[in-house]
Amino acid sequence: MHNKHPRILIVNVNWLGDVLFSTALIREVRNNYPGSFLACMVPKRCQGILEGNPYLDEIIIFDEKDTHKSLKQKIKFIQDLKAKHFDIAILLHRSFTRTLISWMSGIRQRIGYHTKKRAFLLTKNIIAPKDLLHRRDYYLKIIESMGLKVNDRRLDFFVSKQDEEYINEFLKKNNVYRNDFLVVINPGGNWHPKRWPKENFAFLADRLNKEF
């Protein structure tokens, strides 16, 4: 990596929680390349996790189930990406399509975990760790394999002033004040195996109500 200030694209994953786990990597890439242009490619539904992230110069939306479904839309996306002249793509997503897009966009260095299908499209194939790692560390391993330093593993989530004001106003309207003890329950999940049974939520609410 001879270029001191390469233009870097982080090709992110499709799931809210995992995009949140990638924020440590985003910050550490920025710390290793303070003067570089750093962008992140992510589906629209995960955009909110990265909005306001001060380590990113740009969020690029790629939605293959919606905006970029057709071949024509994908080709247009590749042309737009090519015009941005990225030097390095760090692929957190193991998808063949995203790796192919990175290659077709003329990104010279393409770094990610080895899979049989896309190995020939990567310039640096990293063998996935055999140990069961936390998702955050699984992503950080990619940049450690590039020789980059990781000094901090915490995750980042940035809230805008506007959002803070909205929440404060909402709580005030509902007679909840700054020093009140507040518990927020968010029942649900993306798909069935991730959903905690509703009876458990009810039990938890009763227990909290009783003990606090």
Side-chain angles (χ1 to χ4, degrees), residues 158-168:
F158 299 95
V159 180
S160 73
K161 204 90 202 104
Q162 209 179 344
D163 287 344
E164 256 182 65
E165 284 164 12
Y166 171 80
I167 292 299
N168 288 336

Side-chain angles (χ1 to χ4, degrees), residues 5-180:
H5 300 305
R7 290 174 62 81
I8 303 167
L9 176 67
I10 295 167
V11 179
N12 221 315
V13 288
N14 281 354
W15 312 279
L16 284 174
D18 286 0
V19 170
L20 181 65
F21 293 145
S22 76
T23 56
L25 174 138
I26 292 168
R27 185 191 57 252
E28 295 304 295
V29 171
R30 166 59 73 214
N31 290 341
N32 279 271
Y33 292 106
S36 285
F37 184 88
L38 182 58
C40 194
M41 177 172 146
V42 75
K44 185 142 188 68
R45 67 195 178 96
C46 298
Q47 186 179 359
I49 299 287
L50 300 177
E51 257 168 5
N53 188 313
Y55 306 114
L56 288 173
D57 294 298
E58 188 183 5
I59 297 170
I60 298 167
I61 302 299
F62 176 69
D63 248 325
E64 60 184 328
K65 286 190 166 71
D66 183 21
T67 330
H68 306 103
K69 208 171 182 176
S70 72
L71 182 61
K72 191 182 171 185
Q73 289 159 334
K74 282 188 181 73
I75 290 165
K76 169 81 171 78
F77 180 80
I78 290 165
Q79 287 166 342
D80 292 343
L81 205 55
K82 201 169 193 169
K84 293 178 189 289
H85 304 289
F86 285 108
D87 302 297
I88 302 169
I90 299 170
L91 293 124
L92 307 189
H93 207 302
R94 294 167 69 111
S95 127
F96 174 80
T97 309
R98 283 165 180 75
T99 315
L100 183 65
I101 284 170
S102 304
W103 175 71
M104 290 178 81
S105 305
I107 305 174
R108 288 194 305 279
Q109 294 184 55
R110 300 171 300 280
I111 300 147
Y113 281 122
H114 171 92
T115 71
K116 261 185 197 167
K117 267 187 184 174
R118 68 171 188 170
F120 72 102
L121 290 170
L122 292 171
T123 56
K124 185 171 177 63
N125 271 281
I126 300 160
I127 301 303
K130 284 196 165 61
D131 323 333
L132 210 57
L133 287 183
H134 188 285
R135 217 62 186 154
R136 172 202 61 192
D137 299 314
Y138 179 79
Y139 297 145
L140 285 170
K141 264 246 175 302
I142 297 175
I143 60 171
E144 286 175 323
S145 303
M146 292 163 63
L148 302 189
K149 276 195 184 116
V150 172
N151 293 318
D152 190 346
R153 292 177 177 265
R154 72 190 152 82
L155 303 176
D156 291 317
F157 185 65
F158 299 95
V159 180
S160 73
K161 204 90 202 104
Q162 209 179 344
D163 287 344
E164 256 182 65
E165 284 164 12
Y166 171 80
I167 292 299
N168 288 336
E169 203 45 50
F170 174 81
L171 294 175
K172 214 154 71 182
K173 266 185 200 159
N174 289 281
N175 302 315
V176 180
Y177 298 97
R178 195 169 281 282
N179 295 324
D180 289 350

